[in-house]
Amino acid sequence: MDSVDARWAGAFEIVHDTDGWQQFRRLDGALLIPPATDGLAERAKMCAGIHASWKVTAGRLVIEAEGQDDGSPFDVLVNGVLRHRVSGAGRVSHDLDLGDMPPHSTVQLWLPQYGALRVLEVSLKGEDVAVATETGKRWIAYGSSITQCRQADGPSEAWPALVARQYGWQLQSLGFGGECQLDPAVESTISQLPADFISLCLGINTYNVAAFSGRTFASQVLGFVSNIRRAHPGVPIAVISPVLSLPREEAPNSAGWTLSDYRNAVAEVVRAVRERGDHRIQLVDGGGVFTPPESAALMPDTLHPNNDGYRLMAARLGPQLAAIANAQH
């Protein structure tokens, strides 16, 4: 019986300590500055979108890890179907029988999308086991908690994970709950990563904490997008404006702007960039992802979709993103 350690996809870097533990970083920390960016740094240590894949005929998956007490679970998929969902909270030790499967099946392990995590061992022990190499489009997905998807039942049901699996894309999730604020650390990370397609979901966190006003928001979005474009000339970019949040649509924040104002500003930036000749950037209207009744039903806290909401997001956004990613110019 062979044993093959996980080869992780979706991390910017992996940090190893002297005791053999691995921790993950989704951002380049060079442009983080405490205490101002402590919240972003915390979210960047969480493992949204990070996963490993193997080919195997039969075997067992071993997980030795330690997670946050309120952290999300691990998901194990066999040929795209959920086979195991196990706790990632506290010190965990899992030895999971993968059961019957066709020869040379694909096994994926998705790490918890929410909560600090460190890994001592993840390995697949089995017959004809080997690392599976991903070959699809390299997709960077930046956004807020609605991209990190804490409320999804498991990491494989976050909407970016669902879309990536549907289209065979290699996901790099940069979803940071409460911390989608156009930070230079994010811009630098996206600029360094290889990419065939980039999506940027912008506006909801800015509204919630009034980080930018009517004077500054559009300018910040334009600068952020323009710098990413310089790093990735010719790569399709989808800019997603905020999804509906009914109590916030016409309620001014402390900067005097409503969520509708931020959505309109995102659209205006994309329009301006396209008028200047960049037709590889396109707007996805987040306000059209859910109808108002769907938003009321699928967002129990009025802000975050539940698991059904994330599945509907994937179904609605996936075709739009695929059309942008695959458009010929």
Side-chain angles (χ1 to χ4, degrees):
M1 180 176 292
D2 298 320
S3 179
V4 176
D5 291 338
R7 183 179 298 170
W8 301 109
F12 181 82
E13 65 175 341
I14 302 170
V15 179
H16 300 262
D17 70 18
T18 56
D19 295 323
W21 291 89
Q22 301 174 62
Q23 295 184 347
F24 303 87
R25 304 288 185 269
R26 290 185 294 135
L27 286 179
D28 179 359
L31 293 178
L32 297 173
I33 182 166
T37 57
D38 283 353
L40 178 59
E42 176 193 18
R43 293 295 192 262
K45 294 176 183 177
M46 297 181 183
C47 298
I50 298 176
H51 60 284
S53 303
W54 298 263
K55 291 287 188 181
V56 69
T57 297
R60 308 183 71 86
L61 184 64
V62 173
I63 302 170
E64 298 283 348
E66 186 173 40
Q68 194 168 307
D69 285 344
D70 60 348
S72 301
F74 295 89
D75 279 358
V76 181
L77 280 64
V78 176
N79 296 325
V81 178
L82 184 66
R83 182 66 61 91
H84 293 284
R85 174 168 287 155
V86 294
S87 175
R91 183 71 166 86
V92 297
S93 180
H94 301 296
D95 186 344
L96 305 173
D97 185 353
L98 298 177
D100 295 331
M101 64 182 79
H104 310 297
S105 290
T106 299
V107 173
Q108 280 193 328
L109 172 68
W110 290 78
L111 296 183
Q113 78 272 25
Y114 178 83
L117 181 78
R118 60 178 188 159
V119 168
L120 186 61
E121 179 187 0
V122 171
S123 60
L124 202 156
K125 305 177 189 302
E127 180 182 345
D128 299 327
V129 62
V131 167
T133 302
E134 297 183 335
T135 58
K137 288 184 183 293
R138 297 164 296 185
W139 172 32
I140 300 172
Y142 173 53
S144 65
S145 55
I146 300 174
T147 299
Q148 186 175 355
C149 304
R150 179 184 182 182
Q151 290 73 21
D153 290 349
S156 67
E157 295 189 86
W159 77 261
L162 292 169
V163 170
R165 294 204 310 282
Q166 180 179 358
Y167 294 99
W169 295 345
Q170 301 178 60
L171 174 63
Q172 191 94 24
S173 177
L174 299 181
F176 305 111
E179 296 291 337
C180 181
Q181 301 291 6
L182 307 168
D183 284 276
V186 175
E187 179 188 298
S188 173
T189 299
I190 295 174
S191 296
Q192 294 176 63
L193 288 168
D196 299 305
F197 175 53
I198 298 167
S199 64
L200 311 170
C201 190
L202 309 177
I204 184 61
N205 286 163
T206 303
Y207 167 84
N208 283 338
V209 300
F212 300 110
S213 66
R215 162 64 183 83
T216 58
F217 179 66
S219 180
Q220 288 291 330
V221 173
L222 178 59
F224 188 84
V225 169
S226 298
N227 288 335
I228 290 171
R229 167 56 76 221
R230 275 192 287 272
H232 294 288
V235 170
I237 298 175
V239 180
I240 308 170
S241 59
V243 300
L244 283 179
S245 178
L246 298 178
R248 297 166 177 81
E249 290 299 319
E250 304 304 330
N253 62 10
S254 61
W257 262 31
T258 67
L259 187 59
S260 293
D261 291 328
Y262 286 96
R263 188 178 297 113
N264 292 337
V266 169
E268 176 61 23
V269 170
V270 174
R271 183 196 63 78
V273 172
R274 288 179 60 82
E275 285 185 351
R276 297 174 188 181
D278 185 351
H279 298 292
R280 300 286 281 173
I281 185 170
Q282 294 193 47
L283 177 72
V284 175
D285 177 18
V289 174
F290 299 133
T291 66
E294 288 170 342
S295 180
L298 298 173
M299 292 180 165
D301 65 356
T302 75
L303 182 60
H304 302 96
N306 57 20
N307 199 69
D308 289 340
Y310 284 128
R311 284 199 164 273
L312 184 56
M313 281 191 72
R316 297 254 172 91
L317 286 175
Q320 296 182 70
L321 296 178
I324 296 169
N326 296 323
Q328 301 298 315
H329 289 271

